[in-house]
Amino acid sequence: MQDDLIIRAQAWLAEDPDPETADELAKLIEAGDTAELADRFSGTLQFGTAGLRGEIGAGPMRMNRSVVIRAAAGLAAYLKAQGHTDGLVVVGYDARYKSADFARDTAAVMTGAGLRAAVLPRPLPTPVLAYAIRHLGAVAGVEVTASHNPPRDNGYKVYLGDGSQIVSPADAEIAAEIERVDTLASVPRPSSGWEDLGDEVLEAYLARTDAVLTPGSPRGIRSVYTAMHGVGKDVVMAAFARHGFPTPVLVAEQAEPDPAFPTVAFPNPEEPGAMDLSFAKAAEVQPDIVIANDPDADRCAVAVPANGGWRMLRGDEVGALLAAHLVHKGASGVFAESIVSSSLLGRIAEAAGVGYEETLTGFKWISRVEGLRYGYEEALGYCVDPEGVRDKDGITAALLVAELASELKEQGRTLTDLLDDLAMEHGLHATDQLSVRVSDLSVIASAMAALRAEPPVSLAGLQVISAEDLTKGTESLPPTDGLRYYLDGAYKARVIVRPSGTEPKLKCYLEVVVPVPEASDLAPARTRGQEILNAIKKDLAAAAGI
């Protein structure tokens, strides 16, 4: 068994085109580190609807040039099988370790396969790549990014010609083509032949942001902005300047791209401590709001003054605020969200007389809703201009938040005041999340199995009146690995449990709706909502064995 492991590792080493990962693997083989080798050669990174994502390193269970070349070859074969024999594939990348290498390898593979390839000029936000696909008439796009994952990770996100991320069955068909790739030597990789794009695509993207804002709308909001060591800063600053907003005050320590992400444990605005530097800068300059992007700038976080400090708004709160703003601006079409997001969007849509639809988790589903005008997901993702970018876009979302906050400021009001209005009109939709990061994925599988074998009969003293296993699908949703519970009582409590599709996490999404008859009931409603959420979390953790 160990001999077979060494043979497979040596075969991989013989083909590795990257001196760094080749040296890493050679040292593991020389040291006879069979435990580490077994981990890296226990299978292959699975290509799915999130594309690929994993830790950078040598071997088929890591992100490296060998894995990327095979993935690109599989994508090229799939596109040609679909009849796109000479179609254009546009490639973007972030500033993570190896991202530029993976992008260049992808362009080389596409060119070698007879397709045309174009590479964005430098590390740019993922929304620019999503925009470029449709703008350039491409048949597919690839973004090399691990979004807000830890520094050691990288990823490979695939879009088709409609500008949306791949969904089934394309993912399985591409994966099958990847499996058919024999050796790297069988994959032609010329050293030139693709197009290195200039700034014209970025300029077109920035021009498209005009569609997000109302001509002549207020633009007076003062903001602090962090790029979280990612690629958002230059594009956000250009967009704000283009539209006449005051220049955001930068969190200097996090303004420039840095793949080591030195100031944060996890480069995700939702993670504890990630916004500390932003709040310190806000305490210094006293802006109206704080805005943050994740490292590839497809997500947008917002913080507001609260009790002498700053409070991060939940993704559901920002999602509701943007929906209310779009309604106020006369938006028509369909408002959509994933099943893990707050039901408040449905109430706003119903009251406004616009369409509403629920989808599975991920913008690959939200972006495909027919007639989509606005889509959001609680994990800080907002699609506010689906005709421009059919994906979440942290740049245009930041612009729309800034417009809304500016409009409210002119009225002597704040984002918090508008949230209070929504609670008075529709009930206080209190949401929370129980999220468990694991080093052993079997913990997630065990928790899901435990809940399926013995579903909870009550949570927080509320009877579970409906327990759905979403692997079977529903009338409106295709199958997915998840569980959904509805609880009895006036609070319309709901719980959804699912494994994360991009990180080693088990995620549980909780919501309760507390009636707010009068303004004086707001504070007690928040307290009551949080009490119920805390109790649900405690009981759910016990039921899942986590």
Side-chain angles (χ1 to χ4, degrees), residues 206-242:
L206 286 169
R208 176 67 206 183
T209 63
D210 295 355
V212 175
L213 303 177
T214 301
S217 63
R219 309 280 165 94
I221 201 72
R222 296 179 305 107
S223 61
V224 160
Y225 171 75
T226 178
M228 204 68 68
H229 297 296
V231 297
K233 185 256 292 181
D234 289 348
V235 184
V236 165
M237 298 297 272
F240 271 57
R242 177 184 181 90

Side-chain angles (χ1 to χ4, degrees), residues 360-381:
L360 292 184
T361 309
F363 270 82
K364 57 184 175 284
W365 300 110
I366 294 171
S367 67
R368 285 182 161 77
V369 168
E370 190 172 344
L372 180 68
R373 175 58 186 87
Y374 168 64
Y376 100 90
E377 191 158 71
E378 56 74 42
L380 309 182

Side-chain angles (χ1 to χ4, degrees), residues 236-325:
V236 165
M237 298 297 272
F240 271 57
R242 177 184 181 90
H243 297 295
F245 288 101
T247 302
V249 176
L250 295 175
V251 179
E253 302 93 327
Q254 299 175 335
E256 300 302 326
D258 188 336
F261 302 106
T263 69
V264 289
F266 293 96
N268 178 354
E270 292 180 296
E271 293 284 347
M275 295 292 289
D276 287 356
L277 288 172
S278 299
F279 295 160
K281 178 58 70 175
E284 177 188 328
V285 302
Q286 295 297 310
D288 299 302
I289 58 173
V290 174
I291 297 172
N293 287 139
D294 67 337
D296 70 326
D298 63 350
R299 289 173 168 82
C300 177
V302 181
V304 296
N307 302 319
W310 288 83
R311 178 176 83 85
M312 265 274 290
L313 297 181
R314 292 189 172 276
D316 284 320
E317 291 177 306
V318 177
L321 287 169
L322 291 178
H325 187 43

Side-chain angles (χ1 to χ4, degrees), residues 252-470:
E253 302 93 327
Q254 299 175 335
E256 300 302 326
D258 188 336
F261 302 106
T263 69
V264 289
F266 293 96
N268 178 354
E270 292 180 296
E271 293 284 347
M275 295 292 289
D276 287 356
L277 288 172
S278 299
F279 295 160
K281 178 58 70 175
E284 177 188 328
V285 302
Q286 295 297 310
D288 299 302
I289 58 173
V290 174
I291 297 172
N293 287 139
D294 67 337
D296 70 326
D298 63 350
R299 289 173 168 82
C300 177
V302 181
V304 296
N307 302 319
W310 288 83
R311 178 176 83 85
M312 265 274 290
L313 297 181
R314 292 189 172 276
D316 284 320
E317 291 177 306
V318 177
L321 287 169
L322 291 178
H325 187 43
L326 288 168
V327 166
H328 176 67
K329 285 157 68 86
S332 60
V334 178
F335 285 16
E337 64 180 340
S338 62
I339 58 173
V340 298
S341 304
S342 171
S343 60
L344 176 56
L345 182 68
R347 297 193 178 198
I348 293 171
E350 182 181 15
V354 301
Y356 170 74
E357 192 164 328
E358 239 184 6
T359 74
L360 292 184
T361 309
F363 270 82
K364 57 184 175 284
W365 300 110
I366 294 171
S367 67
R368 285 182 161 77
V369 168
E370 190 172 344
L372 180 68
R373 175 58 186 87
Y374 168 64
Y376 100 90
E377 191 158 71
E378 56 74 42
L380 309 182
Y382 314 95
C383 175
V384 301
D385 178 27
E387 291 306 306
V389 175
R390 288 189 181 275
D391 198 6
K392 54 187 177 292
D393 182 346
I395 312 294
T396 50
L399 287 173
L400 199 60
V401 165
E403 180 184 61
L404 169 58
S406 297
E407 187 176 288
L408 291 167
K409 184 178 180 180
E410 279 205 352
Q411 301 166 9
R413 286 161 45 80
T414 66
L415 296 176
T416 304
D417 292 329
L418 181 52
L419 284 172
D420 288 348
D421 291 349
L422 292 172
M424 294 277 292
E425 184 176 356
H426 303 293
L428 177 74
H429 287 61
T431 60
D432 206 346
Q433 192 177 128
L434 171 62
S435 182
V436 182
R437 185 181 293 272
V438 301
S439 54
D440 179 1
L441 290 177
S442 68
V443 173
I444 295 175
S446 297
M448 295 297 288
L451 289 170
R452 285 190 170 103
E454 201 169 333
V457 295
S458 69
L459 295 168
L462 302 171
Q463 183 184 356
V464 176
I465 56 174
S466 171
E468 294 175 282
D469 186 342
L470 299 177

Side-chain angles (χ1 to χ4, degrees), residues 510-523:
L510 326 174
E511 180 179 58
V512 298
V513 182
V514 185
V516 185
E518 305 288 344
S520 59
D521 297 315
L522 277 164

